[in-house]
Amino acid sequence: WERAIHRDVVGPVLEDQVTAVREATRLRPDLDPGRVGIRGWSFGGSLAALAVLRRPDVFHAAVAGAGVTDQRLYHALWRERFLGHPAEFPERYEACSLVDEAPALTRPLLLMHGLADEKVHVANTVRLSGALLAAGRLHEVVLLPGVGHQAIGSRATADLLRHQVSFLRRHLDPEARRAGRT
C-alpha cells in the first residue's frame, strides 16, 4: 500500500472507494447509486471532501471532519515520506490539495472541526472553507469549541452524529426533502 500511495496519498484511496461503491451496487441492485453519501474523520475527512470534489458522479454528499486539506499543513515527516520535500516536489503537494480543488465543488459538503485539535490544525478546514467561499461554492461548517482531534467520545458526540445524519438525510433522502424534515 505504501508503494501505491507513494507520490499521491489521496488518488489511489479515492479510486478504491469508487470501486467499492460500484461493486456494492452491482451486488445489491436495491442500492441507489444516485444517493451515495460519504463521511469520515481525519484522513477519512480528507477523503470525504475529496470524493465530492473529484468524483461527484459517484458521491452525492459528504461530511468531512478534521481533514487535512493542504498537505503542507500536516506533519512534515509523515508527508515527506510519501510526497518528498515540498520545495523539491511542489506539484505533488498541489495534486493532493483540496484547497486548490475548491472551485470544483458541485455537491453538498459539511465541514466539521474541533477547535482544540492539535493533530490536524483547524486552519485546514478554515482554508478549504475560505477557498470554497471565494469560488462561490456553498457548503456548511461546524466548529466544535473545546473538542480535539477525536470528536467521537467527547461531550459533543451525540449532537455531532445527529447533525451528520440530519445533513445526509436532507441531501440524500428524497422523502425527507419533500416533507421538509431533517
Side-chain angles (χ1 to χ4, degrees):
W1 184 247
E2 288 184 5
R3 286 188 188 119
I5 64 169
H6 185 66
R7 299 183 181 161
D8 181 1
V9 296
V10 295
V13 182
L14 178 58
E15 287 313 306
D16 271 357
Q17 296 300 305
V18 169
T19 300
V21 168
R22 289 191 174 141
E23 185 65 8
T25 56
R26 184 185 71 77
L27 293 172
R28 299 279 314 268
D30 57 314
L31 296 177
D32 183 351
R35 298 184 321 141
V36 177
I38 184 169
R39 60 178 283 276
W41 206 267
S42 193
F43 181 79
S46 304
L47 179 60
L50 185 68
V52 292
L53 288 167
R54 284 195 188 167
R55 296 306 304 266
D57 58 314
V58 177
F59 299 97
H60 303 92
V63 175
V68 175
T69 63
D70 181 340
Q71 302 304 317
R72 290 171 280 254
L73 293 177
Y74 197 58
H75 303 291
L77 179 62
W78 195 93
R79 284 303 185 241
E80 288 176 20
R81 178 178 173 192
F82 296 101
L83 299 178
H85 193 280
E88 293 178 46
F89 303 102
E91 72 282 356
R92 293 179 188 170
Y93 285 77
E94 290 165 19
C96 295
S97 172
L98 280 69
V99 174
D100 293 344
E101 296 195 40
L105 184 69
T106 59
R107 298 291 190 182
L109 174 61
L110 169 60
L111 301 172
M112 304 180 112
H113 213 118
L115 292 175
D117 192 333
E118 293 180 358
K119 183 169 178 150
V120 176
H121 196 273
V122 71
N124 281 277
T125 293
V126 172
R127 280 193 187 175
L128 179 56
S129 179
L132 290 165
L133 289 171
R137 302 297 186 246
L138 296 178
H139 62 288
E140 296 180 29
V141 178
V142 174
L143 299 176
L144 307 161
V147 174
H149 192 64
Q150 297 299 327
I152 300 300
S154 73
R155 58 183 165 70
T157 299
D159 289 333
L160 181 72
L161 293 173
R162 253 191 308 277
H163 193 84
Q164 292 179 41
V165 168
S166 174
F167 176 85
L168 291 171
R169 274 194 178 144
R170 188 167 10 116
H171 294 288
L172 297 174
D173 181 355
E175 302 247 346
R177 280 198 303 260
R178 276 194 296 276
R181 296 187 321 248
T182 59

